[in-house]
Amino acid sequence: MTTFSRSPTPAITVFPTHKLSPINRKIYSGFLEHLGRCIYTGIYDPTNPNKSLIDERGFRRDVLAALKPLDIPVMRYPGGNFCATYHWKDGIGPRASRPARCDLAWGNVETNHFGTDEFMEWVTELGAEPFLCLNFGTGDLDEALHWLEYCNGTEDTYWANQRRRNGHPEPYNVKYWGLGNEVWGPWQINQMKKEDYAERAIQWAKAFKLQDPNVELILCGKEGATGWDLHVIKECVLPQAKDGLGQEALNLVDMVSIHGYTASEEHYENATAPLGNERAIEVCTGLIDLAFAENGLLVDQKKPKICFDEWNVWSWERAPGSKGGEETYTLSDALAVATWLNVLVRQSANVEMACIAQSVNVISPLMTSVDGITRQTTWWPYELFCRFMRGHLVAVNLASEVYEGPTKPAWIRAVRETPFMDVSATLDEDGCLTMCVVNYHLEEEMETILTGAQGIVSVYSITGEHHRVTNMEGKQEVEVKEAEWDSSKGVFVFPKCSVTFLRWKTA
Ligand code: AHR
C-alpha cells in the first residue's frame, strides 16, 4: 500500500515495521511461447555455428546463464495464442518422426523439434516450475487429460508409460495448468462466448482435479474489469461438488488469469499506463470476493487470487506478433516496466503469480543474436525486482506533484491520482528494506525528503541521456549505476526520468 498526498515538496516516508502482505515470489515468473524467435534460436538453437554458446542438448548457455540468477519461480509454456492449435503429442518421441504443422496463431510452420520433454528439461535446468497452458481451440478434453497423464502419471497407464519409454521414468509433477488462453479474443482459433467458456472450463477443471487433485488450475479471465471476467468468475469460482467424488470440497479453479499490455509513443502516457492495470487487479479481486461469498465456498478455503500471466510493454504497431513481436525498448519503457512491477508488488495481497511476456526475444528484456545476448533497457528494473523486492510489502507514504496530462487508458485519473513519482517498498527475510522509486518527470529531478531510511543506503539507479535511448545494437546506454547515500542527510535527489532502488539493513 502506498498512500499519497499532493505536495509541491516531494517527500517519501517508509514504515519498515509496518509489514503488509507477503510477496509471492511467483510474481516474478516468466513465459515462453512458440512465437518468432522465443523458443527457436532464443532458448533452443542447435544449428548455431557458434558452438560454444550451445550445450549438448541444443540449449543456449548464455540465455540460461542470464536467466538463472533471476531465480524465476515458474515458466508458462507453450503459449499464448499458439496453444489454440497445439497438439502436444506432435512434440514427443524421436525428432525425426515428429510432424511439422501449420501454426495458425502466428502463421509459421511448427517443426515440433522442441516439445514437452525438452521444455521440462530446460525448465528444470533453469530451476523453475512448469506451467502448461491447455488447447481450448482445436483440442479436446481427452487430449488434455492425456497430457496430464503423460506429465504426472505414476500408474501403469498408456501415456505415463509413453513418457517412461521416451526416457523419463519419473513424473514431472506439473502443478499449474491454464484452462485456455485469451479464449475471448477475436484473433483466437475457436473464440468462445463467455457462457460457453465457463461451462467448458468447469467440466475440464472437474476432470483435471479428479485425475490429479494436486494440480492448480488457472481460469481464463480477460483484463480484470470486464463483463467476461464478471461472468466466468461468478460461474467458475466454485467448490468442487462433493457428490459422488468422495473428496473434501476443493476449489475448482485456483487462480484467475488476466492479461495487460501497455504502450504509447508519448512518455508520460507510456510510463504511467500500468497504473490502469492496478485498478483492474483491484476490480478483479472484488469479483473473486463476490463469487466466493455467493457460491458457497468455505471460509477456510483458499481464496483464488490473480495470475497476471501476461504483462509487459507492447505496441502491436511497432512489433506485430505476426512478424515475431520483437520490441526495441527505450528508457521510457524501463520506467513503465518498473511501474508494472511496483503495481504487482503493491498488489501482492491480490496477485499470486505474474508472468512477464515474454522471457526471450519476443517482447522481452533479453535478446539473442547468433553471437550472444543483449540486455534491453527493461532488463535492469526487472533484474533488480527479482533480486531485491521480496519478503513483505511495507507501508509507504508519498507526497509529490501530480502529472495532469493525458493518460492511457484515458480513464486512469477518474479512479486515482497520477503523481510524478511511483513507489513500492519491501522488507525481505534478512531484514533488508528495498524501495523502488520511479521519477517520470522528463525535466525535473526530485529533491525528496526521505524519512525512515537508516544508515548507509545502497543506491542502484537506472537512467540515460533521454527517454528514447535504447540498448540495442550492442550499445549499453542504459545500465545500473551503483552508489551509496548517507541517510542522515535526509534528502535524496532522484534524477529526472529514472528508476532508483534504495536498499538498507533495518535495525
Ligand atoms: O504474448 C504474445 C501474445 O499476446 C500471446 O500469445 C497472447 O496470449 C497475447 O495476445
Side-chain angles (χ1 to χ4, degrees), residues 453-474:
Q454 286 168 285
I456 299 299
V457 171
S458 303
V459 179
Y460 304 81
S461 75
I462 302 165
T463 187
E465 278 295 297
H466 54 82
H467 68 284
R468 293 194 190 279
V469 73
T470 68
N471 272 358
M472 296 304 282
E473 298 153 16

Side-chain angles (χ1 to χ4, degrees), residues 189-300:
I189 307 302
N190 201 6
Q191 177 191 4
M192 295 176 88
K193 293 196 179 79
K194 55 185 187 299
E195 294 81 7
D196 297 337
Y197 172 74
E199 275 182 27
R200 195 171 190 212
I202 290 171
Q203 297 308 322
W204 285 41
K206 183 172 64 187
F208 260 63
K209 295 245 165 171
L210 276 172
Q211 186 162 314
D212 184 347
N214 297 319
V215 295
E216 295 208 358
L217 300 176
I218 293 123
L219 184 71
C220 176
K222 192 177 178 188
E223 288 141 359
T226 69
W228 173 283
D229 296 291
L230 172 66
H231 183 83
V232 302
I233 289 171
K234 189 163 158 282
E235 295 299 313
C236 300
V237 174
L238 292 171
Q240 179 169 312
K242 281 182 175 170
D243 288 356
L245 299 181
Q247 293 174 1
E248 292 297 305
L250 284 170
N251 292 341
L252 270 181
V253 301
D254 300 274
M255 287 183 249
V256 176
S257 149
I258 59 174
H259 290 178
Y261 292 101
T262 58
S264 169
E265 294 310 307
E266 203 287 319
H267 166 70
Y268 292 107
E269 288 183 358
N270 184 45
T272 60
L275 301 176
N277 295 86
E278 184 157 24
R279 184 60 163 181
I281 293 170
E282 290 164 349
V283 172
C284 192
T285 300
L287 299 179
I288 296 169
D289 285 353
L290 194 62
F292 203 82
E294 292 227 320
N295 289 343
L297 284 114
L298 307 175
V299 276
D300 57 354

Side-chain angles (χ1 to χ4, degrees), residues 83-89 134-148 190 200 204 207-208:
C83 294
T85 55
Y86 181 58
H87 296 292
W88 69 272
K89 291 172 192 171
L134 297 168
N135 176 352
F136 262 58
T138 58
D140 63 23
L141 178 55
D142 240 6
E143 180 188 9
L145 289 169
H146 294 164
W147 204 7
L148 177 62
N190 201 6
R200 195 171 190 212
W204 285 41
F208 260 63

Side-chain angles (χ1 to χ4, degrees), residues 420-494:
F420 270 113
M421 298 164 87
D422 190 65
V423 58
S424 74
T426 62
L427 184 67
D428 69 17
E429 300 76 7
D430 302 323
C432 280
L433 195 135
T434 311
M435 191 161 70
C436 172
V437 179
V438 185
N439 176 11
Y440 299 122
H441 213 296
L442 288 178
E443 275 96 39
E444 288 178 23
E445 57 187 26
M446 295 290 174
E447 201 172 304
T448 304
I449 301 165
L450 218 153
T451 313
Q454 286 168 285
I456 299 299
V457 171
S458 303
V459 179
Y460 304 81
S461 75
I462 302 165
T463 187
E465 278 295 297
H466 54 82
H467 68 284
R468 293 194 190 279
V469 73
T470 68
N471 272 358
M472 296 304 282
E473 298 153 16
K475 317 174 282 191
Q476 281 287 304
E477 301 274 351
V478 176
E479 288 179 320
V480 179
K481 292 214 170 52
E482 294 187 29
E484 286 189 339
W485 173 69
D486 180 353
S487 63
S488 65
K489 290 182 180 155
V491 171
F492 187 88
V493 180
F494 294 98

Side-chain angles (χ1 to χ4, degrees), residues 31 33 35 76 79-82 106 181-182 187-188 259 261 310 314 316 357-358 362-363:
F31 172 33
E33 178 165 11
L35 192 184
R76 181 174 184 247
N81 297 342
F82 176 78
W106 305 113
N181 171 76
E182 296 187 356
W187 49 86
Q188 214 57 239
H259 290 178
Y261 292 101
E310 289 187 28
W314 183 21
W316 181 273
Q358 297 189 0
V362 177
I363 41 176

